[in-house]
Structures are given as C-alpha cells and as structure tokens.
C-alpha cells in the first residue's frame, strides 16, 4: 500500500484501467508483461493518473481473458514473476501512483484445482465449494448474462453426473459462498495480494455470490453481508486500501453497495454510462440530470467511479428496451458491433472519432460527481477491430509510436497476441503516444491539460455537491459544483447544432467567472440571466470567484 495521505484519496483520484497483456512487451514475445508496464509508468504519470486498475493477471487458461482463474496465488507466466509484480507495484508507489487489481470472487476456471477436485467425486471435500444440482430448473428466475454463448446457468458435468452453476461462461463454475471454507479462502487471497503491496481491488461480478430459490440471485442480503465482512477485515488490517464494486444494476440496487459506509468505497456508475450516450444521441440533457439525481446522495466517505468505456462491451442490460434500440441504432449499425446486450466498440469509433464529442464526453465525466476511470488507449483515441472475437477488438496492443507493431513489441508481427489497429481512420501510425505527444493540439495533450485542471480543482470536482441549473434549451446541461468556499460552473452543449441558454445566476450577483483552461475572465454575473452561446458539442468549466476574492 502507498503509505501516507488521506484515507479518502480515491475521491480525488483519476484511475487508469490497464490489461498487462496489451500495454508493453519487454521481452519480445509478443505479449505485454509486468516489466513492460513498469517501463511505461512514467507515461502513466505524465497523463496524471493517480491509480492503476490492473485487469486479472493470475494464472489462467485465458478463455475469458483472465477472469477464469486457475490459481489465485500465482501470476500468469507470460506476464512475469511475482518479483516482477512486486517491483512494478513499488515503482508505481515511488511515483505516487496507487495500484488496485481485479479480484474475481464469484467464479473460477474449470481448470482450477479446486474445481478439478470437486468434480472428481461427489464425496470429495471440495465438492461443496461449488453449486451442484440434479435439477437444471433450480433457480429458474435467474437471467443469463452471456446470452450470445450460453443457454442456461447450469452445465452438465459428465464426470460426477450433476449440473454445476455458472453465471458466466460454462467453463467458469461459481463458487459456493454458503460454504465457510470458500469465504475464508477468499479472505486469504485478499490478504495475500494486499501483502504484496496492492492498494485495493476492483471486485468482479459482485451481485452474484449467493443463490436463493425464488429470487433473481442478485444483490441478496447474504452477498452484502459477506462484502461487509471483507470491508471490516480491510479496515482493520489494511486501512487506506479500497474496494471498488463492479455491480451493473439499476440505481437503487447499485447504491446499496455503499452500505452504511461499511461495504464498498467505490462503485462504478453503470446507470450513468449508457445515459451519457443516450443524452448525446437525443441532444437532451434530461437522461443525465435524471440519472444523477437517482444515483445521489451517497454516503460521504464513498464515491462513484465514472467511466465511458472499459474492456467489456458497452453494456445495455440496465436500460429500457426503447433505450437499447436507440443505442443500437445510433452506435452499433453493424451486427458485428453487438455482443450480448451491448456494443463491443471503443470510445473513439463509437462517436466517429469526432474531436468535439470526445472532448465533451471527457469534460463530462471529469466534472460530474465521482472519480473518472479511463480505459487505456482512449486518451489517444484508439480504434477497435470488430472482426476479432468476443471483446478482443477493444483489447488490442497499446500504440506507442509509428514503429513496427506500434512500438508495443519487437516480436515478429505474427507473434503478437493480437493484431494492432491499422484501419486508415485510426491507424497506429498517427494514433500513438509518441506522435500525439509531439503535436501540441492533439487530443492526448488536451487530455493532459484537462487532468491538470481537474487536479487544480480536485476538491470541488472530487468532493463537491452538484446543483443543476434550469436551462431553456434542452440540449444544454448546466450545473454548479460546490465544496466549502469553492464553486465551479459547468455548461455543456450536447447538440449537433449551436445553442444558447440563459442561466439564472442572480444569487451570485457581482461574482466573477473565469474559464479554467485559458484563465480568461468572462463578464461578471449580474441580476439578469447569464447568457451563454455555445458551438455544437462544446463545454465550459468556469471557476466562480466571489467579489471579495474568496
Ligand atoms: C466482468 C468482467 O468485466 C468481464 O470481462 C468478465 O467476462 C465477467 N465479469 C466474468 O468474469
Ligand atoms: Ca512479453
């Protein structure tokens, strides 16, 4: 754990999501590794990231890119050794960067020794570590998540002649959390990796730990109770470490994972994410205002993780059928772009690489209540490859330069774990860290500046309350963030056309407005409505200064 600092560090932090496999290959075998990641820490520092979230790096047959763990206590040899991992964490800490990692509690790989033992015979001591049944109609109210590849949550085990329960792929048997040994073993896994220096976990597939007949088997009280026990242990033994939940749920169920400040520190704001894209497509601020109101308030010592994209498909499980249709129509015109109930594309291609829209979306998630979580490569507007299977099209090698293999690896191109992006509209020869760093006007340099501004205002943006202002034009979204004496006014035009609005700021009569990036001072606020004219897809972040200079 990075020592010192505020226990609420995560409220002011920017997070960077990284698959070790895709980031940098240090030993020329075509696969990213921990030593490569260590070599690129200065880059991660240069874009102002405070915390790295590592995707699963444990031993795995990689049938679900590492979310199928075959040994919780070892590292996938392709990625390096435990020593490489420890060196990476301590080098990150030396730069003031924290590291959290994926923790997959719900299920294991069918190659895991625990499962191999469990299926070997019905009286094996590990048998009860998994969920078995003779009846595949048990828990029949439970939805299937990977609908494109699974037809049931039960899979037949020909060895022991019973069905086992799995919420994801059939090669990922769910652990049985009713068994105290399982609960204890996972506590040991947590301690093992925290002892190696991690600053916390992104907890995978949180809602599904327990099963109860007659329910959806999601968000059960027993599941919350177990996470509260984990939290208690962390607070006692590893204070300052955090738990971030992946709980893709409707607002009320998602909020419940904060508990009474005694469960998760953070939770992804899944409800917000698709609604940002819906608001953009409909040129209407309402979906954002509405969902933010539904997802607040949350306890003081907790925070949302705000994201636009991640390593999975853009999930549309928790939206209405009409909203999903709209999203598919607008953002996934080809069938290949869809997967399960979602869209398997990266951010830049989703919005046709429109620089205005990309800035707008980033300015939104950097200024709404919560901590932004960025997906590697989105800061260089990386493209995707929908011709690769599953979600691999958004997990291609990071693009460092216009050299061979985008500077990711010196292996022969055929040896790369995945091809690099060569589509002419997103070719790595232009979309790479080196070229974009040298171009002052690049998106990457814009991103860096915005993160600096965000850091300068980290308290009001990280911890402030939000108040939405009435706008006469539905495509204009306006809010004030407030923290103690600090205030920031944020205004966005979500429309494809220019727009204008008059905001009632009369309670701030006499205050000054200063644009954050340029420091340009705007006309002072008066009694009359304050007038904003805005080009299409534009934004303002304005510092509000009281007349007496506070
Ligand atoms: C959620 C992860 O984000 C996803 O990549 C994975 O396939 C499932 N959990 C199953 O572990
Ligand atoms: Ca390698």
């Amino acid at each position: 754990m990075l020592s010192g600092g505020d226990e609420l560090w995560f409220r002011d932090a920017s997070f960077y999501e990284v698959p070790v496999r895709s980031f940098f290959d240090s030993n020329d075998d075509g696969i990213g590794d921990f030593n490569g990641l260590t070599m690129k820490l200065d880059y991660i520092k240069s874009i102002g990231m405070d915390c790295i979230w590592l995707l699963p790096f444990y031993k795995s047959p990689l049938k679900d890119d590492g979310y199928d763990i075959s040994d919780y206590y070892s590292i996938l040899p392709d990625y390096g050794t435990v020593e490489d991992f420890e060196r990476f964490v301590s080098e990150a800490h030396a730069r003031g960067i924290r590291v959290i990692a994926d923790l997959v509690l719900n299920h294991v790989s069918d190659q895991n020794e625990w499962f191999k033992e469990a299926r070997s015979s019905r009286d094996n001591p590990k048998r009860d570590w998994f969920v078995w049944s003779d009846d595949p109609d048990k828990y029949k109210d439970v939805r299937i998540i990977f609908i494109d590849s699974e037809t049931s949550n039960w899979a037949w085990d020909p060895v022991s002649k019973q069905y086992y329960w799995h919420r994801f792929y059939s090669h990922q048997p769910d652990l049985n959390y009713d068994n105290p040994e399982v609960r204890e073993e996972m506590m040991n896994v947590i301690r093992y990796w925290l002892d190696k220096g991690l600053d916390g976990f992104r907890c995978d597939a949180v809602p599904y730990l327990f099963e109860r007949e007659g329910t959806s088997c999601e968000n059960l009280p027993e599941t919350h109770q177990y996470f509260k026990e984990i939290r208690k242990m962390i607070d006692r033994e590893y204070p300052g470490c955090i738990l971030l939940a992946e709980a893709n749920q409707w607002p009320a169920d998602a909020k419940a994972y904060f508990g009474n400040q005694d469960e998760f520190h953070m939770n992804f704001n899944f409800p917000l994410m698709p609604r940002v894209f819906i608001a953009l497509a409909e040129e209407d601020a309402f979906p954002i205002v509405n969902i933010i109101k539904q997802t607040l308030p949350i306890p003081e010592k907790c925070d949302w993780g705000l994201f636009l994209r991640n390593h999975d498909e853009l999930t549309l499980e928790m939206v209405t059928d009409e909203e999903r249709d709209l999203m598919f129509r607008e953002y996934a015109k080809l069938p290949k772009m869809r997967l399960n109930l979602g869209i398997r594309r990266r951010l830049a291609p989703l919005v046709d690489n429109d620089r205005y829209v990309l800035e707008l979306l980033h300015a939104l998630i950097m200024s709404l209540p919560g901590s932004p979580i960025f997906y590697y490569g989105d800061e260089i507007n990386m493209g995707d490859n929908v011709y690769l299977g599953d979600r691999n099209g958004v997990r291609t090698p990071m693009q460092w330069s216009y050299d061979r293999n985008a500077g990711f690896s010196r292996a022969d191109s055929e040896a790369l774990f995945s091809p690099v992006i060569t589509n002419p509209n997103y070719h790595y020869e232009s979309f790479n860290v080196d070229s974009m760093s040298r171009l002052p006007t690049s998106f990457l340099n814009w991103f860096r500046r915005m993160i600096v501004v965000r850091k300068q205002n980290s308290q009001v943006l990280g911890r402030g309350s939000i108040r939405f202002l009435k706008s006469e034009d539905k495509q204009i979204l306006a809010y004030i963030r407030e923290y103690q004496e600090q205030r920031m006014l944020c205004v966005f035009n979500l429309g494809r056309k220019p727009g204008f609005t008059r905001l009632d700021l009369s309670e701030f009569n006499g205050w000054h407005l200063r644009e954050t990036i340029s420091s340009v001072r705007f006309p002072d606020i008066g009694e009359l409505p304050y007038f904003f004219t805005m080009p299409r897809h534009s934004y303002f972040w304005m510092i509000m200064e009281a007349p007496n200079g506070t």
Side-chain angles (χ1 to χ4, degrees):
M1 191 183 84
L2 181 64
S3 48
D6 185 345
E7 57 153 357
L8 295 183
W9 60 267
F10 57 90
R11 296 210 56 189
D12 310 323
S14 296
F15 290 72
Y16 193 60
E17 176 188 359
V18 185
V20 179
R21 188 174 199 72
S22 308
F23 212 57
F24 189 66
D25 171 19
S26 72
N27 63 348
D28 310 342
D29 64 355
I31 302 171
D33 41 59
F34 272 113
N35 287 340
L37 195 49
T38 306
M39 289 159 78
K40 295 299 184 185
L41 276 169
D42 287 335
Y43 167 70
I44 296 174
K45 182 81 188 163
S46 86
I47 54 170
M49 296 296 106
D50 305 294
C51 183
I52 294 171
W53 154 28
L54 294 175
L55 269 68
F57 51 78
Y58 317 96
K59 208 156 172 216
S60 161
L62 297 182
K63 287 205 215 153
D64 182 13
D65 218 357
Y67 284 95
D68 47 331
I69 300 177
S70 54
D71 178 2
Y72 280 78
Y73 297 99
S74 65
I75 286 183
L76 188 78
D78 288 343
Y79 299 166
T81 62
V82 172
E83 291 71 44
D84 297 340
F85 167 82
E86 286 177 315
R87 198 167 62 87
F88 160 70
V89 174
S90 72
E91 287 290 329
H93 286 168
R95 289 164 178 77
I97 300 173
R98 291 181 163 87
V99 183
I100 63 171
D102 246 290
L103 175 71
V104 186
L105 294 171
N106 181 66
H107 47 270
V108 305
S109 159
D110 61 5
Q111 300 308 304
N112 193 301
E113 286 305 323
W114 303 336
F115 187 68
K116 284 190 189 165
E117 277 191 47
R119 78 185 331 178
S120 66
S121 82
R122 290 203 190 183
D123 47 20
N124 185 281
K126 288 277 188 307
R127 181 74 179 174
D128 188 50
W129 279 39
F130 297 87
V131 182
W132 300 96
S133 171
D134 293 321
D135 173 14
D137 285 331
K138 205 173 169 190
Y139 308 139
K140 64 178 175 355
D141 301 328
V142 178
R143 70 184 168 122
I144 294 169
I145 298 172
F146 285 169
I147 52 168
D148 285 359
S149 35
E150 301 296 337
T151 50
S152 166
N153 287 315
W154 291 105
W156 176 249
D157 174 35
V159 184
S160 61
K161 306 213 175 344
Q162 261 190 325
Y163 293 94
Y164 61 88
W165 182 247
H166 61 90
R167 289 307 305 272
F168 295 94
Y169 286 122
S170 57
H171 57 73
Q172 288 166 312
D174 276 34
L175 285 163
N176 175 19
Y177 276 86
D178 277 319
N179 185 321
E181 287 173 17
V182 169
R183 299 200 297 272
E184 194 47 44
E185 182 66 20
M186 282 307 170
M187 291 280 187
N188 293 337
V189 168
I190 293 170
R191 288 193 183 96
Y192 180 83
W193 291 104
L194 291 180
D195 285 341
K196 302 224 170 302
L198 285 179
D199 299 281
F201 295 102
R202 176 265 191 193
C203 301
D204 182 67
V206 153
Y208 318 115
L209 297 199
F210 284 80
E211 297 77 33
R212 292 291 178 264
E213 195 54 89
T215 73
S216 67
C217 295
E218 300 190 10
N219 315 315
L220 296 182
E222 293 82 351
T223 298
H224 283 285
Q225 186 48 39
Y226 182 57
F227 281 111
K228 287 185 171 147
E229 283 164 30
I230 297 181
R231 172 65 183 266
K232 217 182 259 162
M233 183 276 276
I234 290 206
D235 282 351
R236 200 173 50 234
E237 299 176 32
Y238 304 92
C241 289
I242 63 159
L243 295 170
L244 161 61
E246 187 221 14
N248 181 8
Q249 296 290 326
W250 293 97
D253 292 327
K255 270 168 77 171
Y257 285 96
F258 295 119
N260 184 19
Q261 324 207 93
D262 57 354
E263 207 170 326
F264 284 91
H265 301 79
M266 291 184 75
N267 189 358
F268 290 101
N269 198 328
F270 274 101
L272 172 68
M273 184 275 295
R275 287 167 185 95
V276 168
F277 291 96
I278 292 169
L280 185 68
E282 293 192 317
E283 304 177 274
D284 186 349
F286 177 76
I288 296 176
V289 176
N290 186 38
I291 206 73
I292 292 288
K293 286 185 177 165
Q294 287 184 51
T295 52
L296 291 177
I298 57 169
E300 174 74 30
K301 293 185 177 173
C302 298
D303 221 342
W304 288 111
L306 307 185
F307 66 105
L308 295 165
R309 288 296 293 113
N310 61 23
H311 63 290
D312 288 326
E313 70 275 26
L314 190 169
T315 152
L316 298 171
E317 286 158 305
M318 303 292 159
V319 297
T320 64
D321 291 347
E322 292 73 42
E323 288 171 326
R324 190 176 311 115
D325 288 347
L326 173 127
M327 287 293 290
F328 281 146
R329 225 175 26 246
E330 193 72 25
Y331 297 104
K333 296 199 171 66
L334 303 178
K336 268 202 171 313
M337 295 171 174
R338 304 177 188 180
L339 179 71
N340 301 319
L341 287 182
I343 303 177
R344 51 193 204 108
R345 304 184 74 191
R346 260 193 184 266
L347 183 63
L350 272 174
V351 297
D352 297 327
N353 206 15
D354 185 324
R355 172 75 181 258
Y356 293 91
V357 175
L358 288 165
E359 288 194 12
L360 174 85
L361 293 175
H362 279 86
L364 257 174
I365 66 148
M366 290 186 200
S367 64
L368 282 168
S371 297
I373 304 183
F374 305 100
Y375 186 46
Y376 88 100
D378 280 351
E379 74 280 17
I380 53 167
N381 306 148
M382 247 171 88
D384 55 29
N385 182 349
V386 296
Y387 295 91
L388 299 176
D390 204 336
R391 292 146 291 178
N392 298 327
V394 302
R395 302 174 182 179
T396 61
M398 178 66 176
Q399 297 163 189
W400 295 104
S401 69
Y402 60 92
D403 294 339
R404 171 162 56 109
N405 302 329
F408 162 75
S409 169
R410 282 166 303 165
D412 288 340
S413 301
E414 314 86 270
L416 295 195
F417 78 91
S418 153
V420 293
I421 300 293
T422 51
N423 177 293
N425 283 324
Y426 299 93
H427 202 290
Y428 73 79
E429 288 185 359
S430 315
F431 294 83
N432 66 68
V433 169
D434 186 31
S435 306
M436 291 173 81
S437 292
R438 283 188 281 131
L439 188 68
T441 55
S442 69
F443 183 84
L444 176 60
N445 283 327
W446 173 86
F447 180 90
R448 287 188 165 114
R449 277 194 296 279
M450 286 298 274
I451 291 289
V452 169
V453 173
R454 194 178 190 282
K455 277 191 201 300
Q456 285 160 351
N457 299 281
S458 68
Q459 290 209 309
V460 66
L461 291 178
R463 305 194 186 193
S465 61
I466 188 166
R467 177 151 50 117
F468 291 101
L469 301 176
K470 219 165 140 259
S471 157
E472 61 201 293
D473 184 344
K474 75 179 177 58
Q475 73 190 29
I476 294 191
L477 166 68
Y479 48 82
I480 296 179
R481 302 291 315 272
E482 301 187 84
Y483 184 74
Q484 295 169 357
E485 299 306 310
Q486 304 170 45
R487 279 176 184 70
M488 193 184 263
L489 170 66
C490 303
V491 191
F492 302 84
N493 179 5
L494 301 166
R496 295 175 181 85
K497 297 194 184 122
F500 58 87
T501 193
R502 275 171 280 244
L503 302 177
D504 180 2
L505 297 173
S506 51
E507 68 180 285
F508 299 105
N509 191 358
W511 284 51
H512 317 309
L513 279 185
R514 196 179 290 281
E515 198 276 330
T516 44
I517 303 176
S518 61
S519 287
V520 166
R521 185 160 155 192
F522 272 48
D524 289 349
I525 298 168
E527 294 253 335
L528 294 176
Y530 201 93
F531 195 76
F532 275 99
T533 50
M534 308 194 64
R536 64 118 173 159
H537 298 136
S538 59
Y539 64 91
F540 283 119
W541 283 5
M542 299 279 196
I543 303 281
M544 302 174 74
E545 296 166 341
N548 62 8
T550 52

